[in-house]
């Protein structure tokens, strides 16, 4: 029999229901995998084994009524868990233990999930490689010399390496989909407003969204159903019914209309990535979908718009870290202003400082119109591109990332090159639409390649249906790295 | 050069981030390159366009004004770097009145 840690959530639910296994069996299998692999992988920020076993033993409730009963889950380190270290992998939140649970954590608990630990991430989700974490870099399980992507690199890597069944991440510009693509797992960013952000430590409030990293599409549907829904604690969450994704995704895709934007197959996109995505499109056509070329003319401006807006919002959100209420506080002498300056100088890493300064600059008097306001107006153009395509199409298919996983150290010294690696994922955040990345092939060097499916706002069902149909017809998702 | 060291120094001050001379040098070069890149937005005609600060059409969201339980002070102060008399403790802000 396969080890339990390598199974999917829906496979484990069947075994749990039959009474063949107990939740503690799954936890033990995960802990064993962590013992074996974590030293090399470094995907986790925190894990308290005794606590996990305690939580397993204390599981109450009934599995018939709770959709995740007995399933262990890992959480990205920027989501608040009551009493558990939550630091965004930054020194400035050193020692922070939130006094409350994020809404998604509350929902996981109510659904009977077992919280394991926190996963590694780029500091405050600022990055595409997990290299900016205060705890150090996570490795890509397919090649230890390469990055897992980011910022949810820890969540993607631990799922890919079977150190986890599934995990939560957050996606502000591709931070779930890009690492999913680079690690060969399924990464879903729901529509802005579909999942409550209450308790997600804010990076860019108009772009941030919590989502899932799973081994297959059915698990994404199960986990999304559990965490989605309106929450009065997040005034931007939207009060609209949550469909029963796990059953709806199994419908076929005959006649579904898909646009393939020509701007996503440009120079700079790796040839092997283009070929794999084109082959996947052929497969999706064979499954009955209609795929046609479309145009999203303002695609090339998305990176510029994003890095002005995301940094502006970040500079404002991160103003709260001033050494007074929580986290790190500089002990150096001086005035209260000196204390703020020293705390932030010593507490933030390089990329956080860079983004706060860029954002403060874009918002500052004299530059606001030329940078921030102009970026907001170009965002309107980008949104209109998508609105136009979605008048005629149900979904859009693109590569998730222009390349497979890059080497550790390759881009970290050149921020702009790093930013450009988000080019295909950013627009979904700027426009609020849902997107999923699924495995669609491998390079000659055995690195995973990801396919991105984007959908209309609140139509996660359509993109998961396409993803599920494709997954059923292919075997990419069942390949696992050897560690 | 779109940006100078003085501008970065000024902006870092606004953002309350202390910075060494070396950091200042390093950030000025990098931010200059990034700003040079985002200059492409100037190519677009944006006159008459409404800014999109939020993607979902949403007006002010109100909730009922009712009393609910809040966190106990002791819980809130648990994470404080410095505290006294059930309050956050900060350095003196006003020198003399």
């Amino acid at each position: 029999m396969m080890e339990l840690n390598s199974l999917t959530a829906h496979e484990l639910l069947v075994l749990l229901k039959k009474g063949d296994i107990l939740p503690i069996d799954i936890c033990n299998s995960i802990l064993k995998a962590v013992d074996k692999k974590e030293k090399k992988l470094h995907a986790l920020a925190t894990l308290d084994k005794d606590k996990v076993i305690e939580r397993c033993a204390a599981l109450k409730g009934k599995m018939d009524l709770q959709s995740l009963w007995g399933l262990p889950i890992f959480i990205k380190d920027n989501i608040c868990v009551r009493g558990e270290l939550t630091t965004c992998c930054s020194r400035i939140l050193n020692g922070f233990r939130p006094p409350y649970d994020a809404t998604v954590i509350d929902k996981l608990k109510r659904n009977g999930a077992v919280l394991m630990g926190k996963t590694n991430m780029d500091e405050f989700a600022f990055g595409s490689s997990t290299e900016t974490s205060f705890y150090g870099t996570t490795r890509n399980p397919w090649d230890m010399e390469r990055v897992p992507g980011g910022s949810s690199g820890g969540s993607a890597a631990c799922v890919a390496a079977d150190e986890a069944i599934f995990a939560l991440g957050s996606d502000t510009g591709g931070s779930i989909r890009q690492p999913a693509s680079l690690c060969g797992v399924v990464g879903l960013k729901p529509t802005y407003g579909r999942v409550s952000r209450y308790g997600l430590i804010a990076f860019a409030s108009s772009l941030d969204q919590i989502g899932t990293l799973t081994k297959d599409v059915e698990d994404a549907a199960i986990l999304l159903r559990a965490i989605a829904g309106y929450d009065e604690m997040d005034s931007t969450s939207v009060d609209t019914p949550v469909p029963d994704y796990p059953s709806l995704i199994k419908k076929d895709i005959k006649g579904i209309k898909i646009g393939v934007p020509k701007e996503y197959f440009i120079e700079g996109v790796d040839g092997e990535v283009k070929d794999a995505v084109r082959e996947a499109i052929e497969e999706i056509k064979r499954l009955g979908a209609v795929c046609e070329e479309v145009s999203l003319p303002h695609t090339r401006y998305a990176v510029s718009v994003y890095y002005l807006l995301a940094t502006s919002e970040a500079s404002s959100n991160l103003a709260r870290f001033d050494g007074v209420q929580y986290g790190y506080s500089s002990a150096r002498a001086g005035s209260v202003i000196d204390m703020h300056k020293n705390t932030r100088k010593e507490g933030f890493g390089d990329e956080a400082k860079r983004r706060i300064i860029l954002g403060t600059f874009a918002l500052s008097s004299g530059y606001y119109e030329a940078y921030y306001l102009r970026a907001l107006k170009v965002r309107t153009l980008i949104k209109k591109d998508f609105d136009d395509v979605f008048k005629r199409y149900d979904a859009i298919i693109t590569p998730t990332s222009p390349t497979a996983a890059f080497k550790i150290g390759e881009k970290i010294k050149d921020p702009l090159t790093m930013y450009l690696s988000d080019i295909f994922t950013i627009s979904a955040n700027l426009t609020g639409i849902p997107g999923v990345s699924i495995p669609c092939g491998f390079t000659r060097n055995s690195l995973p390649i990801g396919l991105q499916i984007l959908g209309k706002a609140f139509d996660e069902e359509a993109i998961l249906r396409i993803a599920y149909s494709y997954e059923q017809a292919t075997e990419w998702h069942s390949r696992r790295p050897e560690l | 050069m779109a940006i100078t060291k003085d501008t970065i120094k000024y902006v870092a001050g606004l953002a309350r981030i202390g910075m060494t001379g070396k950091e200042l040098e390093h950030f000025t070069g990098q931010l200059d390159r990034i700003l040079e890149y985002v200059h492409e937005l100037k190519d677009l005609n944006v006159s008459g366009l409404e800014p999109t600060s939020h993607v979902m059409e949403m007006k002010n969201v109100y909730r009922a004004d009712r009393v609910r339980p809040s966190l106990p002070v002791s819980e809130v102060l648990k994470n404080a770097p410095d505290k006294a008399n059930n309050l956050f403790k900060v350095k003196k802000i006003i020198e003399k009145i």
Side-chain angles (χ1 to χ4, degrees), chain A residues 413-426:
Chain A
K413 294 225 165 67
D414 183 1
L416 186 57
T417 316
M418 186 74 88
Y419 297 174
L420 289 169
S421 70
D422 298 340
I423 183 158
F424 295 153
T425 46
I426 278 172

Side-chain angles (χ1 to χ4, degrees), chain A residues 97 232 300 304 324-326 334 337 341 344-345 350 353-354 357 374 376 379-380 414 420 430, chain B residues 11 15-16 18-20 23 26 30 33 37-38 40-41 44 50 52-53 55 68 79-81 91:
Chain A
R97 290 176 190 272
E232 70 164 4
R300 60 170 287 208
S304 292
V324 175
Q325 295 174 67
Y326 32 64
I337 301 285
K341 284 188 171 175
R344 290 161 70 81
K345 175 193 166 86
D350 244 28
K353 287 178 190 167
R354 195 152 38 235
I357 289 169
R374 181 168 278 265
L376 284 180
R379 186 182 190 180
T380 305
D414 183 1
L420 289 169
L430 291 174
Chain B
V11 172
R16 298 273 193 276
M19 215 163 265
T20 63
E23 274 180 315
H26 172 69
Q30 287 179 332
R33 257 200 85 204
Y37 183 84
V38 305
E40 64 175 7
L41 296 184
L44 292 165
E50 285 295 317
T52 300
S53 48
V55 283
R68 316 191 248 199
N79 283 294
K91 295 197 181 206

Side-chain angles (χ1 to χ4, degrees), chain B residues 3-76:
Chain B
I3 202 167
T4 62
K5 254 199 316 198
D6 282 346
T7 313
I8 296 294
K9 199 173 171 182
Y10 169 71
V11 172
L14 289 178
R16 298 273 193 276
I17 297 178
M19 215 163 265
T20 63
K22 217 176 138 193
E23 274 180 315
L24 208 55
E25 190 94 32
H26 172 69
F27 282 135
T28 305
Q30 287 179 332
L31 291 169
D32 190 53
R33 257 200 85 204
I34 295 166
L35 289 174
E36 200 180 302
Y37 183 84
V38 305
H39 239 77
E40 64 175 7
L41 296 184
K42 296 251 191 281
D43 303 343
L44 292 165
N45 180 8
V46 296
S47 64
L49 282 175
E50 285 295 317
T52 300
S53 48
H54 202 280
V55 283
M56 299 300 153
E57 277 172 41
M58 211 177 258
K59 296 268 149 57
N60 280 343
V61 179
Y62 299 103
R63 60 177 156 80
D65 183 17
R66 59 184 161 83
V67 178
R68 316 191 248 199
S70 54
L71 290 169
V73 174
S74 60
E75 277 289 304
V76 175

Side-chain angles (χ1 to χ4, degrees), chain A residues 378-395:
Chain A
V378 180
R379 186 182 190 180
T380 305
L381 292 173
I382 292 170
K383 186 164 188 304
K384 190 175 173 299
D385 283 356
F386 279 86
D387 288 347
D388 288 346
V389 169
F390 282 131
K391 275 181 200 147
R392 289 172 292 129
Y393 295 89
D394 302 302

Side-chain angles (χ1 to χ4, degrees), chain A residues 72-323:
Chain A
I73 187 161
F74 282 91
I75 310 294
K76 188 175 180 180
D77 200 30
N78 58 354
I79 299 174
C80 288
V81 179
R82 199 178 116 93
E84 300 298 325
L85 216 52
T86 299
T87 70
C88 291
C89 294
S90 176
R91 184 184 193 197
I92 209 155
L93 269 171
N94 184 28
F96 178 62
R97 290 176 190 272
Y100 67 95
D101 276 330
T103 297
V104 290
I105 298 300
D106 185 49
K107 282 178 178 262
L108 290 177
K109 287 179 176 173
R110 283 169 196 268
N111 277 294
V114 180
L115 298 185
M116 299 295 287
K118 307 304 274 300
T119 57
N120 199 17
M121 58 184 279
D122 281 295
E123 181 181 9
F124 282 103
F126 296 155
S128 313
S129 67
T130 319
E131 288 169 288
T132 69
S133 165
F134 178 62
Y135 295 123
T137 308
T138 296
R139 310 264 160 174
N140 189 309
W142 294 92
D143 180 347
M144 293 291 161
E145 302 298 307
R146 291 177 190 269
V147 303
S151 67
S152 310
S155 290
C158 72
V159 172
D162 287 330
E163 274 190 9
I165 306 305
F166 49 20
L168 289 188
S170 68
D171 190 313
T172 305
S175 277
I176 287 174
R177 291 160 287 151
Q178 184 256 19
S181 172
L182 271 47
C183 289
V185 297
V186 175
L188 171 69
K189 177 201 105 70
T191 311
Y192 184 85
R194 173 61 92 188
V195 176
S196 169
R197 293 181 296 113
Y198 178 67
L200 170 68
I201 297 174
F203 158 8
S205 307
S206 84
L207 307 163
D208 293 341
Q209 185 57 69
I210 293 174
T212 63
L213 290 125
T214 57
K215 290 174 194 176
D216 68 8
V217 177
E218 188 167 350
D219 277 9
I222 290 171
L223 193 48
L224 176 62
R225 183 180 57 184
I227 61 170
Y230 173 70
D231 175 19
E232 70 164 4
M233 298 304 281
D234 172 5
S235 62
T236 61
S237 74
V238 176
D239 195 0
T240 182
V242 178
D244 185 41
Y245 301 111
S247 62
L248 292 169
I249 60 166
K250 296 185 179 174
K251 277 199 288 187
D252 68 52
I253 56 166
K254 286 198 178 75
I256 205 164
K257 291 194 76 185
I258 299 172
V260 181
K262 59 177 186 215
E263 291 82 1
Y264 285 64
F265 293 84
I266 46 166
E267 214 181 302
V269 184
D270 185 79
E272 289 185 284
V273 171
K274 276 188 204 169
D275 290 347
V277 172
R278 287 214 172 98
E279 180 44 46
I281 292 168
E282 290 308 311
E283 183 62 44
I284 288 167
K285 280 188 197 165
R286 285 193 282 276
L287 293 166
V290 179
C291 299
E292 291 170 351
E293 188 180 272
V294 296
S295 176
L296 296 164
H298 296 93
T299 297
R300 60 170 287 208
Y301 300 103
V303 172
S304 292
V305 170
Y306 176 81
Y307 277 95
L308 288 170
L309 298 184
T311 57
S312 293
E313 293 188 28
S315 72
S316 166
N317 275 324
L318 270 63
R320 61 173 60 95
F321 301 105
D322 59 2

Side-chain angles (χ1 to χ4, degrees), chain A residues 333-402:
Chain A
S335 68
V336 69
I337 301 285
D338 292 335
M339 189 279 279
H340 290 161
K341 284 188 171 175
N342 289 330
T343 294
R344 290 161 70 81
K345 175 193 166 86
E346 294 155 21
F348 286 130
D350 244 28
E351 183 60 21
K353 287 178 190 167
R354 195 152 38 235
R355 293 201 189 197
I356 292 170
I357 289 169
L358 178 58
T360 307
F361 172 79
L363 290 174
S364 64
S365 170
Y367 298 102
Y368 173 88
E369 274 87 8
Y371 291 99
Y372 182 70
L373 190 61
R374 181 168 278 265
L376 284 180
K377 289 180 176 174
V378 180
R379 186 182 190 180
T380 305
L381 292 173
I382 292 170
K383 186 164 188 304
K384 190 175 173 299
D385 283 356
F386 279 86
D387 288 347
D388 288 346
V389 169
F390 282 131
K391 275 181 200 147
R392 289 172 292 129
Y393 295 89
D394 302 302
I396 291 171
I397 284 187
T398 77
T400 308
S401 175

